[in-house]
Amino acid sequence: MPSQLKKVAHNYLRYANCWEDADVLIKALNIEPDDEVLSIASAGDNTFSILAQAPKKVVAVDVNVAQLKLVELKKAAFEQLNYSEFLQFLGFTESESRLVFFEKVKLGLSKSAVQYWSSRRPQIQAGIIYQGKFEKYFNTFRKRVLPLIHSRKHIDKLFSSKGEKEQFAFYNKTWNSWRWRALFKFFFSEWLMGRLGRDPQFLKEVEVPVADFILEKSRVHLSSVLCQKNYFLHFILKGSFGNSLPHYARAENFDKIKNNIGRLELYEGFAESAMHKHKSISKFNLSNIFEYMPSLVFDEISAKLVLQSAPKAHFVYWNLMVPRRMSVNTTGLEQLPGLAQDLHRVDKGFFYGNLIIENKVQSKI
């Protein structure tokens, strides 16, 4: 375990949603029927999206037991509820019946998960997709900071349908005020984000000015028409996903995931540790786990993943603010920069620095 992660609590809900774009991930992974997939669990969303592609098996891995309890809760919701109930239960649509639905969901939970979630009924009643530390951080921004900058009319205008030139002009003439820049940089500073949003230890490897980096990423995205249908941005600025749901929560994917839910396994621990038990992993969704590692630890773990993975394994992961590429110091990998760049341009996770796609190649004799 990287030394800084020993100081991080792994027993509370850090993320209630996955903040990597599943539409991009699915295209990058190119799942085939015989694939066994290792997926960083987080909130489970992208793991369920992978299940919709009908791989042979998906292993959801996390060191945080609370995140795995959340994945188990969502898994049981797929199993026990219909689509309308599923949306209501998680919080995508309004409902006064979430605790009633929970009684059905409990039938699909382990004994420990029943105990865990039964003691957190207020979170379920309020809609579990709003209950992570990261989601509450955005909620604070939306409620306490954003009203000091923009009216609801301006926020609605940002998302309204318009051409590229009009979007660009609106951002530069109306949205990008001195107040926006100043308060944005304060709220998304390394100090405040580390304490209210993520964890100070998660930023130990970051060498760029955090607020400046995120502000620039926001400038590029909010001045583009791509932001108009970005459900991540909608959640941040308007408090819900609106009508553009994440991949796993869309109607066309519900039955696919439900039918394949038995192929999901949960593993508490690190990705490289899971490889000792699961020796035929061919596809990897590694989220942005390398962000937190010193370079020497990153090189060591990269080598283990490549060595223990199946021939022609496929690795997909994101860089946020720390540049990490497995293929730089690990032999047996080749990059797919063209595909990665194409997908990164339309990535709804606009705050990420890079999307990395790499393939394991057989050594030439």
Side-chain angles (χ1 to χ4, degrees), residues 12-30:
Y12 70 91
L13 197 60
R14 190 176 299 280
Y15 304 106
N17 304 277
C18 286
W19 291 88
E20 297 92 23
D21 187 346
D23 294 293
V24 163
L25 174 65
I26 293 306
K27 292 177 181 177
L29 283 174
N30 188 27

Side-chain angles (χ1 to χ4, degrees), residues 73 88-91 93-102 117 120-131:
L73 182 74
Q88 292 179 65
F89 176 67
L90 294 184
T93 56
E94 294 294 328
S95 180
E96 298 295 328
S97 303
R98 293 190 182 115
L99 293 181
V100 175
F101 296 142
F102 178 57
W117 290 112
R120 291 164 174 81
R121 290 173 184 269
Q123 293 184 2
I124 290 176
Q125 180 64 62
I128 199 63
I129 63 172
Y130 305 103
Q131 303 307 309

Side-chain angles (χ1 to χ4, degrees), residues 17-142:
N17 304 277
C18 286
W19 291 88
E20 297 92 23
D21 187 346
D23 294 293
V24 163
L25 174 65
I26 293 306
K27 292 177 181 177
L29 283 174
N30 188 27
I31 300 292
E32 297 178 350
D34 290 335
D35 280 326
E36 297 185 19
V37 186
L38 185 146
S39 179
I40 300 302
S42 183
D45 310 355
N46 290 358
T47 297
F48 294 123
S49 291
I50 291 170
L51 279 173
Q53 312 309 305
K56 183 178 180 180
K57 179 170 66 176
V58 181
V59 182
V61 177
D62 213 291
V63 296
N64 187 332
V65 66
Q67 297 298 153
L68 292 175
K69 296 297 186 191
L70 177 61
V71 177
E72 188 176 348
L73 182 74
K74 291 181 178 180
K75 174 179 179 288
F78 272 108
E79 291 174 324
Q80 303 298 326
L81 304 178
N82 63 39
Y83 181 60
S84 175
E85 292 170 338
F86 176 84
L87 293 182
Q88 292 179 65
F89 176 67
L90 294 184
F92 289 104
T93 56
E94 294 294 328
S95 180
E96 298 295 328
S97 303
R98 293 190 182 115
L99 293 181
V100 175
F101 296 142
F102 178 57
E103 294 303 309
K104 296 173 65 175
V105 170
K106 282 165 55 176
L107 299 175
L109 296 176
S110 64
K111 183 177 179 180
S112 63
V114 170
Q115 293 173 341
Y116 182 90
W117 290 112
S118 293
S119 67
R120 291 164 174 81
R121 290 173 184 269
Q123 293 184 2
I124 290 176
Q125 180 64 62
I128 199 63
I129 63 172
Y130 305 103
Q131 303 307 309
K133 179 182 178 182
F134 202 52
E135 287 75 21
K136 291 179 179 179
Y137 176 59
F138 286 140
N139 188 54
T140 299
F141 174 75
R142 180 178 63 86

